[in-house]
Amino acid sequence: MNGKRTVLSDDAAVNKRALLQRMQGTEDLVMSDTSNGHGKAITVCYLEGLTDTRRLEQTLVLYLEDKPLFPAFRTDSKLSSIEEVADCLVSGMTVLLFKEPAYGVAIDTMGVQLRNVDEPPSEATVKGPRSGFTESLFNNLALVRFHFRAPSLRVEFRNCGYLSKTTIAILSVGGITNAAILGEVHRRIGEISEDAVLRSNDIEEWITDNRGTMFPLIESTERPDRVVGALLDGRIAVFVQGTPFVLLLPFVFLQAFQVSEDYSWNYYIGSAMRVLRLFCGLIGMFLPAFYVATVTFHHELVPTPLLQSIAAAKEPVPFPAVVESTAMMLAFEIMREAGIRMPKQVGQAVSIVGALILGQAAVQAGIVSPIMVIVAALTGICTFTLPPTTMNYVIRALQFGMTILASLLGYVGITVGIIMLLTYLASLRSFGVPYLGPAAPFDMSEMTDVVVRRPSTSRNKRPSLFRAMNNNRYRGKTR
């Protein structure tokens, strides 16, 4: 911990004591003495549970028999200190310690059981690739290589966390990714001072432009095809060992309403679904506020028959519209969270039954009006159409703020809230990229591939927002 290095000794017993001390006397450390065909002494070190012992045995047999070829052995990366040996061991490697001269060699024998590649549950799709990332960093990189077979794809490794030394990979495309943005990513990651980096969100909170905002300035995904699409746009992907969620940056607000499935359908259908999600996002954010403002201040804007129906429904309710609306939205969020946290087999049933029973009971008891139940249900359903990103939670949180403003000033309050929100969003940046781009600053040529889905035959330019080094997409014939 003090930064000093303990050089490997020619005495195996000294090395064992020093390594055991470095590993805090852990009892899952195995250190076994053997020799190769020439009688040269070797100490084999590994951690039980992290190592695939069958793979280790096969590799050692090849080496001890002096077989010239076995792939796991790298003689060009010799270890010279106890600290280096310990770092390799906790990474799932087996280390062979030699003497005269004293050095160590690491063998990749990782044997941790990980789940298979499957469709990501948070980004399910009807049409398109079904593969999703897992907790294995190198499996995830292989998935990207599988979808994007280009030698220009560049992978750079870094270690984060003073104690955990978590491996992260930064992906970019040579000739496309802006070197200044890539350098800024490396600089910010290099400034991370954490004991342990266990998830991608730990990286995100350190490198984001504004740590005080609830709006996501970095995108997160589990889909390889989405990562490849981002790389081709000139963006950068950050992979973290141990988590299936990959960070994509820079990120702008309107991208939160896009899904990779848009490009798997006819562009008319893809455009219609994208516009529908934008519309649902507006409904989810503003519908409760408009209801409260209308029934509290602006009766004259409602047709008389509808106004009479609303008044009759609200007559037995003792609470003002803002209390009624807030209570219903809060109850909906509680049921939604309960459905997520409960076991999968019963979670959906509990959330549906709970909504039906509580809604009906609340109306019969005169706590809320039927129209408020409709508003809350429609608002919740609209938020379900949005991709399950941080932006989804942000929009649901903004419902409450807009509703309170509407209860104070009516439509004027909603207008004030919209102005404040747009002003705030316009001030945000994601690695120097305007958060509201291409809407502000306005660029009509790029809006056609943000609000709607541009046909693949017309997508001959990369987004200028991400300052790609080559804005023209390649149109050469494949072999």
Side-chain angles (χ1 to χ4, degrees):
M1 297 294 179
N2 55 11
K4 294 182 179 179
R5 314 296 286 181
T6 304
V7 179
L8 289 173
S9 170
D10 285 332
D11 189 336
V14 172
N15 290 335
K16 288 181 180 179
R17 286 195 299 270
L19 184 57
L20 192 61
Q21 181 179 4
R22 174 67 179 177
M23 300 290 292
Q24 305 298 314
T26 181
E27 296 182 1
D28 59 346
L29 173 61
V30 177
M31 294 181 287
S32 176
D33 294 325
T34 184
S35 61
N36 63 7
H38 300 291
K40 188 173 184 179
I42 304 173
T43 302
V44 181
C45 308
Y46 63 91
L47 290 173
E48 286 186 306
L50 273 181
T51 300
D52 184 344
T53 54
R54 179 177 298 179
R55 181 179 174 187
L56 173 61
E57 289 173 359
Q58 294 172 348
T59 304
L60 284 178
V61 166
L62 291 174
Y63 176 71
L64 297 179
E65 293 180 355
D66 284 338
K67 297 290 184 181
L69 296 177
F70 69 105
F73 191 74
R74 293 187 56 188
T75 57
D76 60 334
S77 56
K78 295 182 179 179
L79 310 177
S80 59
S81 68
I82 292 295
E83 289 75 18
E84 291 175 331
V85 172
D87 290 342
C88 289
L89 290 176
V90 296
S91 297
M93 297 182 180
T94 296
V95 176
L96 307 182
L97 298 180
F98 302 87
K99 60 181 182 180
E100 297 178 358
Y103 68 94
V105 176
I107 304 173
D108 183 10
T109 55
M110 172 69 79
V112 176
Q113 294 295 320
L114 298 172
R115 61 187 176 94
N116 296 325
V117 174
D118 201 355
E119 183 176 10
S122 63
E123 295 180 81
T125 181
V126 176
K127 185 179 180 182
R130 303 281 182 170
S131 58
F133 293 126
T134 66
E135 286 72 21
S136 171
L137 173 63
F138 292 99
N139 284 350
N140 294 343
L141 295 177
L143 281 174
V144 175
R145 291 281 188 187
F146 176 79
H147 285 271
F148 185 41
R149 297 182 297 174
S152 56
L153 178 61
R154 182 183 183 187
V155 180
E156 300 172 272
F157 293 106
R158 299 286 298 266
N159 289 328
C160 284
Y162 179 67
L163 295 178
S164 67
K165 293 182 172 60
T166 304
T167 303
I168 67 172
I170 303 171
L171 271 65
S172 57
V173 179
I176 296 178
T177 306
N178 185 282
I181 297 179
L182 181 60
E184 181 65 14
V185 172
H186 278 281
R187 185 189 67 80
R188 295 187 189 185
I189 289 178
E191 293 177 350
I192 296 176
S193 55
E194 283 268 9
D195 277 347
V197 173
L198 305 178
R199 56 192 70 85
S200 58
N201 188 66
D202 295 337
I203 302 288
E204 180 179 352
E205 291 187 2
W206 273 97
I207 68 176
T208 186
D209 288 61
N210 188 338
R211 298 172 186 170
T213 181
M214 65 178 177
F215 287 91
L217 302 180
I218 298 175
E219 184 180 6
S220 178
T221 183
E222 292 184 81
R223 297 187 62 87
D225 56 322
R226 194 169 181 88
V227 170
V228 172
L231 291 171
L232 289 174
D233 284 340
R235 301 167 69 192
I236 297 167
V238 179
F239 290 70
V240 181
Q241 174 69 39
T243 177
F245 293 95
V246 176
L247 303 179
L248 300 177
L249 50 96
F251 177 63
V252 296
F253 178 78
L254 289 176
Q255 286 181 313
F257 301 93
Q258 302 176 5
V259 296
S260 57
E261 191 178 358
D262 291 342
Y263 294 94
S264 296
W265 296 100
N266 177 281
Y267 62 89
Y268 289 114
I269 298 175
S271 298
M273 299 308 296
R274 187 173 290 183
V275 172
L276 178 63
R277 283 192 294 273
L278 286 168
F279 182 66
C280 289
L282 294 175
I283 291 178
M285 189 184 303
F286 295 111
L287 182 59
F290 271 103
Y291 170 77
V292 170
T294 301
V295 300
T296 305
F297 295 100
H298 305 287
H299 301 154
E300 68 280 0
L301 298 179
V302 182
T304 301
L306 179 59
L307 182 61
Q308 291 174 344
S309 176
I310 294 175
K314 281 188 59 63
E315 184 177 358
V317 179
F319 304 110
V322 61
V323 175
E324 185 185 9
S325 176
T326 303
M328 283 300 299
M329 290 191 296
L330 186 60
F332 193 92
E333 293 299 326
I334 292 173
M335 286 185 288
R336 188 203 306 251
E337 191 68 13
I340 294 174
R341 304 303 166 198
M342 294 189 68
K344 186 177 181 180
Q345 292 79 0
V346 297
Q348 187 175 9
V350 168
S351 59
I352 294 175
V353 173
L356 292 174
I357 294 176
L358 287 178
Q360 183 178 5
V363 171
Q364 291 178 347
I367 298 176
V368 296
S369 62
I371 187 67
M372 187 62 244
V373 175
I374 296 174
V375 170
L378 182 58
T379 301
I381 291 172
C382 285
T383 59
F384 280 129
T385 66
L386 305 178
T389 61
T390 307
M391 192 68 73
N392 192 311
Y393 290 90
V394 171
I395 289 176
R396 284 151 52 184
L398 290 174
Q399 294 173 0
F400 294 91
M402 290 295 177
T403 301
I404 293 174
L405 286 174
S407 69
L408 297 175
L409 298 172
Y411 289 163
V412 175
I414 296 176
T415 304
V416 170
I418 294 174
I419 294 173
M420 292 173 60
L421 178 62
L422 291 177
T423 302
Y424 178 70
L425 292 177
S427 69
L428 296 177
R429 295 288 186 275
S430 177
F431 287 82
V433 175
Y435 196 51
L436 283 183
F442 184 74
D443 188 337
M444 185 60 191
S445 63
E446 294 192 4
M447 286 293 290
T448 56
D449 199 33
V450 175
V451 176
V452 296
R453 202 274 267 184
R454 188 183 298 169
S456 297
T457 54
S458 301
R459 298 176 65 237
N460 54 359
K461 295 286 186 181
R462 306 183 201 280
S464 61
L465 279 173
F466 307 128
R467 303 196 295 275
M469 296 175 64
N470 183 0
N471 285 330
N472 296 316
R473 297 186 186 272
Y474 297 107
R475 293 298 178 187
K477 294 181 179 180
T478 59
R479 292 184 295 175

